[in-house]
Amino acid sequence: MLAKRIIPCLDVKDGRVVKGRSFVNLRDAGDPVEAGKAYSDAGADELVFLDITATLEARKTILALAARVAEEVFIPFTIGGGISTIADARSLLSAGAEKISINTAAVKNKPLITEVSEAFGNQAVVVAIDAKRVGSTGFQPVGKNTGYKPVPPKWEVYINAGTTPTGLDVIKWAKEVEALGAGEIMLTSIDSDGHTAGYDIELNAAVNEAVSIPVIASGGAGGPEDMLAVLTEGKADAALAASIFHYGTYTIAAVKDYLRNHGVHVRS
């Protein structure tokens, strides 16, 4: 059985780690390299660095960040934000990143997923999917006097740092990115992000049932119990968190101890 992974996420803006709620109201959370090293030393399995305004501001992700992290951090890390060409991917991977994450570019230029996967292997390609719920669970009549059946929820893919709806259905898009060559999906619930009230379990379960590649659950971690829920009920392969780690609410060791005590296989 593969171990479930615990992954701190560091959203970077203007060279600083920031955290907000539902992608807005950002506040400072420190230096990204210092934070990354601290998480590495504390037992994180991987790290994710996202330049959250690179796409909006038509900037490229800062290569210097990847190089600095590679010098200080000795666990795998992913960098995303503003990556739009195979040359961007090559530069970041050459600078030391193990994986690159693409979101907006993946939607606007689908062949990019395949190009990067074929050039560097699908294990280097993470497609980030920012999902917003557009339909809630309810019931609809089955027929006259035959009762009701549940209506499954739906989610829409958003791009440009969660600001632009695409009309794409999340489940269909997840299947498509797998077919195009993505090696992993980073699935963020915009509705849950930063609220520390739990992941969207329905969203994660639906995507995990639809694809065979690993899915990283993101958005909403408030504590170890939320991670337990998304790794079991939500069927995620990894749990990503920011707020609870950045502000010292929980340590990685405490989260792993909790999961281990509840039967989840995690690395030491």
Side-chain angles (χ1 to χ4, degrees):
M1 176 189 296
L2 291 176
K4 302 288 188 177
R5 291 168 288 152
I6 303 302
I7 306 175
C9 180
L10 300 97
D11 292 339
V12 180
K13 182 177 186 292
D14 300 326
R16 300 288 292 178
V17 179
V18 295
K19 189 58 196 157
R21 298 182 110 193
S22 299
F23 292 17
V24 296
N25 300 322
L26 304 177
R27 56 177 173 152
D28 188 273
D31 176 78
V33 179
E34 290 178 2
K37 186 177 186 305
Y39 288 139
S40 175
D41 293 344
D45 297 307
E46 296 181 20
L47 297 170
V48 171
F49 296 86
L50 299 177
D51 189 339
I52 60 173
T53 56
T55 301
L56 285 175
E57 299 173 7
R59 281 192 289 107
K60 301 300 182 185
T61 302
I62 302 172
L63 282 172
L65 174 61
R68 288 176 59 211
V69 173
E71 289 178 357
E72 299 288 342
V73 174
F74 302 102
I75 58 174
F77 67 93
T78 300
I79 287 193
I83 300 167
S84 59
T85 67
I86 194 166
D88 294 336
R90 180 179 290 107
S91 296
L92 285 166
L93 294 169
S94 297
E98 179 164 296
K99 309 173 190 177
I100 57 97
S101 172
I102 51 177
N103 180 346
T104 299
V107 172
K108 292 185 174 181
N109 179 19
K110 296 178 184 179
L112 179 63
I113 301 171
T114 306
E115 290 173 12
V116 178
S117 178
E118 290 179 348
F120 306 107
N122 73 338
Q123 79 288 341
V125 187
V126 179
V127 171
I129 300 178
D130 294 337
K132 191 172 182 63
R133 190 180 285 253
V134 293
S136 58
T137 302
F139 295 88
Q140 66 182 19
V142 175
K144 186 175 182 180
N145 300 321
T146 57
Y148 295 83
K149 67 177 181 180
V151 178
K154 293 183 179 181
W155 299 268
E156 183 177 359
V157 176
Y158 274 61
I159 57 173
N160 295 326
T163 63
T164 306
T166 65
L168 289 172
D169 176 78
V170 165
I171 307 303
K172 291 179 180 178
W173 178 232
K175 291 179 179 179
E176 186 172 1
V177 302
E178 178 178 25
L180 287 167
E184 196 162 27
I185 290 171
M186 183 163 58
L187 180 64
T188 300
S189 166
I190 296 174
D191 305 291
S192 301
D193 179 72
H195 291 268
T196 64
Y199 299 88
D200 187 329
I201 302 299
E202 286 183 304
L203 167 65
N204 279 277
V207 171
N208 275 286
E209 288 170 0
V211 301
S212 59
I213 57 176
V215 176
I216 302 169
S218 170
E225 65 282 357
D226 296 325
M227 292 184 169
L228 175 64
V230 82
L231 293 171
T232 53
E233 297 171 48
K235 305 179 182 181
D237 297 274
L240 182 147
S243 299
I244 64 169
F245 293 144
H246 295 343
Y247 303 119
T249 311
Y250 293 94
T251 64
I252 293 168
V255 167
K256 286 191 171 184
D257 284 345
Y258 180 90
L259 294 173
R260 199 176 289 114
N261 290 337
H262 286 79
V264 176
H265 177 43
V266 292
R267 298 171 186 166
S268 300

